[in-house]
Amino acid sequence: MRSARPAFDGLLHQRTQFVLGGICLIGLGLRLIGIDFGLPLQLHPDEWSQVDIARGMLGGDLNPHFFRYGSLTLYQLFTLNGALELVSGSAILSNATYYLTARMLSAVYGTATIGVVWWLGRLVGQSFVGWTAALLMAVAPEAVRQAHYATVDTALVFWMSLALAFGIWAFEKPSRSWMPAAVAAGLAIGAKYTGAFVVAPLLLLMFMARGVYAPIPRGISLALAVSGVILGVLVLVVNPAMLEALAQRWTTDGDLNLEYQNLIFALWLLLASGAIVLFVAGIAGYFTPRVRLVLGRFLYPETIVFVLTVIAVFLLSSPFVALDFPTAARDIFYEVRHIQLGAAAQVAVSDPLYAELVPRAAFPEPFFYWNWFLAQNGLLVVGASALGAGALARRHPALFLATGLYTLLLLVTLLRAANKGERYALPLLPILYIWAGIGIVAVSAWLTERRRMVSRFGLTAVMLIVPLMSAVELVNQNFIIPDTRVMAWQWLAENLPAGSIVVREDRTPDLEHVNPAFRIFPTTGAFDSRTFQEWRAEKVDYFLIGTLREYYGSNAVRFPGIVQQYEILQQQSDLVARFIGDGRTMNGPPVWIYRVP
């Protein structure tokens, strides 16, 4: 008699695909609603770094000349844009089309991450954990928001989660290859340099998976010692002063700020420490078998090939990081400085806000991300995540150490950054949601078997309420309700005569990108470097004022001259329109429009 088991397995597999597909469709729907928000205006401050750079590469220069992030998504957008132009008969597409294409790529990455999180949850916990984590990821408010933007963050989360999933997959069965994890990790770094944080937990899994290990040969120990000597000589020859002189040539403004100097000195100390460690380990290993045995735990062909593969894949995805290293080094320095200061690095030296931007503590505002996660996900998700982490530590210490190290590395980096942004914590969500699923399983284990499944589904349904409501509200507020800047732009297009001269502050409609009929003076603050009378000498017709006026007004003692200029503007100009978000008819930053008589 023919067994019915294969047919049952096939039916179960089809049902799994159907349910997972349904969850992904829910996630995709949330990520596509209002995805064309604001266009053709550029309302997000970072979208240009992917869209405009990739668009410029269509001219034939494959060097992006932009390296604040890896180049993976740039080349993907370059390919997509090229295909679109080819389909459209080599026509130049509208600016809005390029931006919408990039946002669609982000939405696809965000949706694909749901499937990866489902698999990762199954690997870490069990099938139910995978379903719970996938549902939470589908409706995760911050994941939904970031998937609307043409930025690198959703790609980063996808590749980091996939790398971790492949690592755990290989850890479970020694015969499996670690190369898929290495490739995914290299692509994560290619999306954004912080993807490198996934490498440490993957190496930890590799070390724990290796049961029997042998000492390294004495020749390898000698090679380590020689490498330490070479690196040490290099460190002594190329001292911090020389590095600072080189870095000064790479800065955009010629200024070598304190943050640059600290970063360079930290790099020099790291290299010097590495030279000492290599030399001591090599000499000790050469004369001591026990040290060679310890080194054999970490230095073996698989780990070396793994690391080299990660580096190779990253360089394949971002080749000009090496081929155009001076530009890449300058941009990487810029990005580190930007994160440390919490403001655009090129204006941090001259901007009057600079004094407010320097971190005053090792971990400024440590509860920022805690409050964000609690507000968006609710106490039940937070409690389940904490409980699940503890349960995983008891039942599978190796996986807890790997996911815990991953979380710890990201948390330390997040807390150290002065430029706090919820999107930086996006890679943490898959682990926190998987822990939440494990927490529900742990709670249900206290009940009888009859009530176990009912309690799991009930707790999951209740746990989804807060993040789902948060996601719906977020989509409505950010992508459905008209933005004040869009409303202001429409008013300007209808009421300003062609040829008008307009001064526009930051956080107001970017007219220079959508209306060449006006002559635009974009500036951070209208009176940071010029007075009202100096603007009048330029025959300015209109001022677009944003949120900076409120900041200067609340710090009038420190900025009396700038505050006075805003007062003169109010006295000698006419307020012809204003757009203030009320959360119902419009949302966004306030915009005031003044006409100069």
Side-chain angles (χ1 to χ4, degrees):
M1 184 176 179
R2 188 176 179 181
S3 172
R5 183 69 188 178
F8 176 77
D9 288 344
L11 180 63
L12 186 62
H13 181 64
Q14 291 178 1
R15 185 174 298 176
T16 297
Q17 291 179 329
F18 178 78
V19 175
L20 182 60
I23 295 173
C24 289
L25 282 176
I26 293 172
L28 179 62
L30 287 171
R31 287 157 176 79
L32 290 181
I33 295 174
I35 199 168
D36 61 342
F37 74 98
L39 294 176
L41 294 178
Q42 300 177 18
L43 301 186
H44 192 285
D46 291 333
E47 286 187 320
W48 69 271
S49 67
Q50 299 301 300
V51 182
D52 294 350
I53 299 297
R55 185 179 178 181
M57 291 165 62
L58 292 172
D61 185 1
L62 294 182
N63 181 355
H65 303 283
F66 178 88
F67 303 101
R68 297 177 197 171
Y69 311 111
S71 305
L72 175 64
T73 55
L74 288 176
Y75 288 115
Q76 290 175 329
L77 287 175
F78 165 77
T79 304
L80 285 173
N81 291 336
L84 284 174
E85 290 190 358
L86 186 64
V87 170
S88 63
S90 299
I92 297 177
L93 307 176
S94 68
N95 191 57
T97 301
Y98 289 107
Y99 273 80
L100 187 58
T101 300
R103 290 178 181 177
M104 293 290 291
L105 177 63
S106 187
V108 169
Y109 262 126
T111 305
T113 302
I114 299 169
V116 174
V117 170
W118 170 78
W119 183 41
L120 182 58
R122 292 191 63 177
L123 291 169
V124 173
Q126 52 181 259
S127 180
F128 181 83
V129 173
W131 292 119
T132 302
L135 280 167
L136 286 168
M137 198 68 197
V139 303
E142 195 59 34
V144 169
R145 175 162 62 180
Q146 295 304 324
H148 281 77
Y149 301 141
T151 56
V152 300
D153 297 283
T154 52
L156 170 72
V157 178
F158 172 82
W159 291 113
M160 289 184 79
S161 301
L162 187 62
L164 200 57
F166 272 127
I168 294 173
W169 174 78
F171 174 81
E172 288 184 337
K173 194 171 183 181
S175 61
R176 292 170 177 164
S177 173
W178 290 88
M179 287 305 99
V183 171
L187 293 174
I189 305 172
K192 194 173 184 179
Y193 301 128
T194 49
F197 289 122
V198 79
V199 174
L202 291 175
L203 288 173
L204 179 62
L205 286 171
M206 292 185 74
F207 299 152
M208 290 188 293
R210 195 178 187 211
V212 179
Y213 57 97
I216 62 172
R218 294 183 73 185
I220 299 296
S221 294
L222 185 60
L224 288 176
V226 172
S227 300
V229 171
I230 295 173
L231 182 58
V233 171
L234 181 64
V235 166
L236 291 175
V237 172
V238 184
N239 54 48
M242 294 179 62
L243 289 174
E244 289 178 7
L246 182 61
Q248 191 166 15
R249 295 174 56 191
W250 290 343
T251 60
T252 54
D253 52 15
D255 174 76
L256 200 60
N257 207 304
L258 179 62
E259 287 71 31
Y260 269 151
Q261 295 171 4
N262 291 341
L263 180 64
I264 291 169
F265 186 65
L267 175 63
W268 184 84
L269 281 179
L270 180 64
L271 293 175
S273 301
I276 294 172
V277 169
L278 285 173
F279 178 75
V280 171
I283 292 298
Y286 186 82
F287 292 104
T288 309
R290 182 171 294 180
V291 174
R292 291 202 302 275
L293 182 63
V294 173
L295 291 174
R297 177 80 177 185
F298 305 101
L299 294 176
Y300 54 98
E302 278 187 338
T303 56
I304 295 172
V305 171
F306 177 88
V307 172
L308 291 177
T309 301
V310 171
I311 295 172
V313 171
F314 163 65
L315 291 176
L316 285 173
S317 70
S318 308
F320 286 94
V321 169
L323 298 176
D324 189 6
F325 183 72
T327 305
R330 182 198 66 197
D331 280 1
I332 293 170
F333 273 129
Y334 173 100
E335 191 64 15
V336 172
R337 187 179 177 190
H338 164 51
I339 297 300
Q340 286 181 329
L341 295 177
Q346 81 270 21
V347 300
V349 175
S350 57
D351 197 314
L353 305 180
Y354 174 73
E356 296 293 317
L357 304 175
V358 180
R360 285 173 166 76
F363 298 105
E365 297 188 32
F367 292 105
F368 175 84
Y369 292 100
W370 161 262
N371 293 333
W372 152 75
F373 185 73
L374 178 61
Q376 286 200 342
N377 292 276
L379 190 58
L380 186 58
V381 175
V382 172
S385 295
L387 183 62
L392 184 63
R394 292 193 307 271
R395 297 176 185 176
H396 211 316
L399 296 186
F400 170 75
L401 288 174
T403 56
L405 177 61
Y406 174 86
T407 303
L408 183 63
L409 287 172
L410 287 171
L411 278 177
V412 170
T413 307
L414 289 170
L415 294 176
R416 185 63 191 90
N419 187 13
K420 297 176 291 296
E422 294 88 344
R423 64 192 176 105
Y424 300 146
L426 207 60
L428 284 172
L429 293 183
I431 302 303
L432 295 175
Y433 290 152
I434 288 169
W435 284 353
I438 296 172
I440 289 180
V441 172
V443 170
S444 66
W446 299 339
L447 304 175
T448 61
E449 187 173 351
R450 180 178 298 180
R451 299 178 179 177
R452 194 167 295 166
M453 289 304 298
V454 175
S455 65
R456 288 181 182 179
F457 286 109
L459 285 171
T460 300
V462 173
M463 191 167 60
L464 283 169
I465 293 175
V466 173
L468 179 59
M469 291 178 62
S470 298
V472 171
E473 177 65 15
L474 183 148
V475 168
N476 182 56
Q477 290 290 321
N478 288 267
F479 309 117
I480 296 180
I481 296 177
D483 191 277
T484 52
R485 290 161 291 183
V486 175
M487 304 288 284
W489 166 59
Q490 292 172 347
W491 186 93
L492 291 164
E494 294 172 1
N495 292 277
L496 266 63
S500 295
I501 301 176
V502 182
V503 173
R504 82 161 194 95
E505 287 190 338
D506 191 30
R507 302 278 286 169
T508 60
D510 52 305
L511 300 178
E512 64 273 19
H513 295 124
V514 295
N515 200 329
F518 304 149
R519 182 184 174 192
I520 313 299
F521 286 98
T523 180
T524 303
F527 306 110
D528 288 351
S529 58
R530 294 195 191 188
T531 66
F532 178 75
Q533 296 304 326
E534 288 173 335
W535 282 123
R536 291 200 73 164
E538 295 280 355
K539 303 187 181 304
V540 168
D541 299 305
Y542 292 88
F543 283 86
L544 302 187
I545 303 300
T547 56
L548 269 180
R549 177 171 63 179
E550 297 176 342
Y551 172 82
Y552 287 127
S554 61
N555 293 272
V557 176
R558 294 180 54 216
F559 307 108
I562 295 178
V563 172
Q564 183 184 29
Q565 294 305 312
Y566 280 110
E567 292 173 351
I568 294 173
L569 171 69
Q570 290 179 285
Q571 295 167 2
Q572 300 186 17
S573 301
D574 300 323
L575 178 63
V576 293
R578 63 179 180 179
F579 300 89
I580 310 295
D582 56 13
R584 298 186 305 276
T585 59
M586 70 179 77
N587 204 10
V591 179
W592 294 271
I593 303 176
Y594 288 89
R595 182 176 60 83
V596 181

